[in-house]
Amino acid sequence: MNIASLVRFKKRQEIYRAGEPVEAIYNVVSGVVKSFSVDPDGGERINTFLFAGDLLGLSEEGRYANSAEAITAVTAYRLPIPKLQRHLHREAELGFHVICKLCQEIREAQRHAFLVSRREALPKIVMFLQMLEQLQASRGEPTNEIHLPMDRTEIGEYVGMSLGAVSRAFRKLAADAVIELRNRQHVKIRNRAAFDELAGMPGGLAEGRRR
Amino acid sequence: MNIASLVRFKKRQEIYRAGEPVEAIYNVVSGVVKSFSVDPDGGERINTFLFAGDLLGLSEEGRYANSAEAITAVTAYRLPIPKLQRHLHREAELGFHVICKLCQEIREAQRHAFLVSRREALPKIVMFLQMLEQLQASRGEPTNEIHLPMDRTEIGEYVGMSLGAVSRAFRKLAADAVIELRNRQHVKIRNRAAFDELAGMPGGLAEGRRR
DNA sequence: CGATTTTTTGATCCCCATCAAGTTGAGTGG
DNA sequence: CCACTCAACTTGATGGGGATCAAAAAATCG
């Protein structure tokens, strides 16, 4: 990865836009990026949040499939496609590494599909928090507090809920002493048992098959 | 792909189960496969349907992440992992091909996430039909009729709706003369304009951000 | 400390999950 | 070929949860 250049993005700065030809892929070093699509009506749907270590910009047909924007200040390695291709031909190992990353992304996308398919607000938010917690842990950061770099609107755009419902869900969790809202960006889990229980599926599209 | 063996699965036969060690991956030749997860409560969530040409069984950490079952009679090439690895080292081109397939799967998973995130029944079903139509077209099959190899329950498990809602949606579309239900497995589009219009987003989580 | 953004809270309504019967239709054996 | 059977599908009634619209409160920023 010595041929990559380090680039910086300011908060809210666009990294690339869906449809543009893919010139480079990025490897996030620090900060948080959102990858999203814009609906015809102008609403954004966030496909995934990207943290340190995540690969960003992979796509098919030579065009970005999503848009990407920095949620916080971001530093990332920028890998121009031509250089990447040269390396792919020289090192078979790199190809394997990319494949692994992609498999992770697929599972991540499937988890996300599950998350947004749930109807009840609390399970959604709890599951979202679990996801953030896990990511934090996998990056070796302290896990006693969960950090929410994105705002409520963006959470809603990711989990598929309205802004209001997101707020209510957080409030309810706090009122029930399941979590503690230290401030807008920091959540602490107060009752792990209840928390995990909520992630289960007590209702919401269980009907099941009748055979 | 000369080292692969052709295998057959009967309708409803299990191909592999989530959690099992990955011994081989499959390349569907004919028939339809569903890839799904089972929730703690026993409900199934279908992650994707796989048709001729699709790769199946890729995963991380050496274990299948989903279960797979034949929806119709299926024939597929079975590629044992060791053989695959040997080929990966010899042919860089193969690795590239796999990467492309994976990128497609990611986009497919993201589309699916969008599909299930929608709240209204008609757009969901229409979008689902569009997806099937497109797949049919990409396989060079006639596109004047859409074939539904899966039953209503499975459609529900894929789009994230109850069985009843799926049925109602089909009925409503037929009643409005948008589609025609030739029989349980075959749908014809009667009013393309209305059909495509429905796939849009007239309502349902549009609230949009307030800045 | 005022101005703007972000979040909270309230009231109403609509849509779908759910539960529960019916109805259709495909497949089977007589 | 027809009754029979079971699974797949349809249809109805009800209730709940969140989207939506609207407005107040809180936090951030210059």
Side-chain angles (χ1 to χ4, degrees):
Chain A
M1 298 277 182
N2 41 11
I3 34 82
S5 58
L6 195 61
V7 290
R8 288 167 194 287
F9 298 96
K10 288 185 289 230
K11 188 171 175 169
R12 302 213 166 257
Q13 189 178 344
E14 174 179 294
I15 298 176
Y16 55 76
R17 191 183 301 241
E20 288 177 354
V22 175
E23 290 167 0
I25 67 173
Y26 300 86
N27 193 342
V28 179
V29 175
S30 72
V32 186
V33 175
K34 66 174 173 183
S35 170
F36 62 98
S37 322
V38 180
D39 300 330
D41 70 349
E44 286 184 11
R45 292 176 299 107
I46 296 179
N47 290 299
T48 184
F49 294 108
L50 298 129
F51 299 86
D54 286 335
L55 232 49
L56 163 74
L58 283 164
S59 146
E60 45 177 356
E61 320 230 342
R63 299 202 167 259
Y64 292 116
N66 307 302
S67 303
E69 184 183 311
I71 278 188
T72 66
V74 166
T75 59
Y77 284 115
R78 178 191 162 92
L79 294 131
I81 292 291
K83 292 195 182 178
L84 179 71
Q85 284 185 327
R86 254 176 280 151
H87 273 251
L88 264 178
H89 271 260
R90 246 176 300 186
E91 299 182 54
E93 217 51 38
L94 178 60
F96 191 72
H97 187 250
V98 171
I99 289 177
C100 290
K101 267 283 177 202
L102 291 181
C103 285
Q104 281 178 25
E105 270 198 59
I106 290 172
R107 295 212 41 195
E108 151 71 21
Q110 289 181 347
R111 256 195 302 277
H112 183 220
F114 178 42
L115 173 58
V116 296
S117 78
R118 309 200 58 172
R119 303 185 165 304
E120 291 167 316
L122 296 198
K124 269 189 169 177
I125 294 301
V126 167
M127 190 177 270
F128 174 68
L129 291 173
Q130 283 181 334
M131 175 198 115
L132 286 180
E133 190 181 30
Q134 199 139 21
L135 287 175
Q136 248 174 251
S138 73
R139 270 176 285 128
E141 297 170 13
T143 181
N144 55 342
E145 241 182 35
I146 300 173
H147 181 224
L148 308 167
M150 66 294 289
D151 64 31
R152 299 287 186 266
T153 301
E154 286 166 329
I155 293 175
E157 286 169 351
Y158 180 74
V159 302
M161 295 173 26
S162 67
L163 167 60
V166 172
S167 177
R168 266 183 256 272
F170 273 108
R171 248 68 236 317
K172 179 100 175 69
L173 288 172
D176 295 353
V178 177
I179 63 173
E180 179 184 345
L181 293 166
R182 300 195 76 76
N183 60 55
R184 298 181 171 197
Q185 301 228 119
H186 293 276
V187 171
K188 209 166 174 174
I189 294 167
R190 275 221 138 323
N191 183 344
R192 171 68 61 174
F195 185 77
D196 291 338
E197 177 62 27
L198 273 169
M201 31 211 65
L205 196 51
E207 197 180 271
R209 79 171 40 207
R210 307 210 187 92
R211 283 237 159 104
Chain B
M1 295 281 182
N2 42 10
I3 33 85
S5 58
L6 195 61
V7 290
R8 288 168 196 288
F9 298 96
K10 287 187 290 235
K11 189 171 175 170
R12 304 216 163 257
Q13 191 178 345
E14 174 178 294
I15 298 176
Y16 54 76
R17 193 184 298 243
E20 288 177 354
V22 176
E23 289 167 0
I25 67 172
Y26 299 86
N27 194 343
V28 179
V29 174
S30 71
V32 186
V33 176
K34 67 174 172 183
S35 169
F36 62 98
S37 323
V38 180
D39 300 330
D41 70 349
E44 286 184 9
R45 292 176 299 104
I46 295 180
N47 291 299
T48 183
F49 295 109
L50 298 130
F51 299 86
D54 285 336
L55 232 49
L56 162 73
L58 282 163
S59 147
E60 45 177 354
E61 319 229 342
R63 299 201 166 261
Y64 292 116
N66 307 302
S67 303
E69 183 183 312
I71 279 189
T72 66
V74 166
T75 59
Y77 283 117
R78 179 190 159 92
L79 295 131
I81 293 293
K83 293 195 182 178
L84 179 72
Q85 283 185 329
R86 253 177 279 150
H87 273 252
L88 264 179
H89 271 260
R90 247 178 296 187
E91 300 182 53
E93 218 51 38
L94 179 59
F96 190 71
H97 186 250
V98 172
I99 289 177
C100 289
K101 268 281 178 204
L102 292 180
C103 285
Q104 280 178 26
E105 271 198 56
I106 290 172
R107 293 211 41 196
E108 151 70 23
Q110 289 180 348
R111 256 195 302 276
H112 183 219
F114 177 42
L115 173 58
V116 298
S117 78
R118 309 200 58 172
R119 303 183 166 297
E120 291 166 316
L122 296 198
K124 269 188 170 178
I125 294 301
V126 168
M127 192 177 268
F128 175 68
L129 290 174
Q130 283 181 334
M131 177 197 112
L132 286 181
E133 190 181 31
Q134 199 140 22
L135 287 176
Q136 247 172 253
S138 74
R139 269 175 286 127
E141 296 170 15
T143 182
N144 54 343
E145 240 182 37
I146 301 173
H147 181 224
L148 308 167
M150 65 295 288
D151 64 31
R152 300 287 186 265
T153 302
E154 288 167 328
I155 293 175
E157 286 169 351
Y158 180 74
V159 303
M161 294 173 26
S162 66
L163 167 60
V166 172
S167 176
R168 265 183 255 272
F170 274 109
R171 249 67 236 316
K172 179 98 174 68
L173 288 172
D176 295 354
V178 177
I179 64 172
E180 180 185 345
L181 293 168
R182 300 195 77 76
N183 61 53
R184 292 177 176 202
Q185 300 228 122
H186 293 275
V187 172
K188 208 165 174 176
I189 295 168
R190 275 221 140 320
N191 184 343
R192 171 69 60 176
F195 185 78
D196 291 339
E197 178 61 28
L198 273 169
M201 32 212 65
L205 195 52
E207 198 180 89
R209 81 171 36 207
R210 306 214 187 89
R211 283 235 160 102

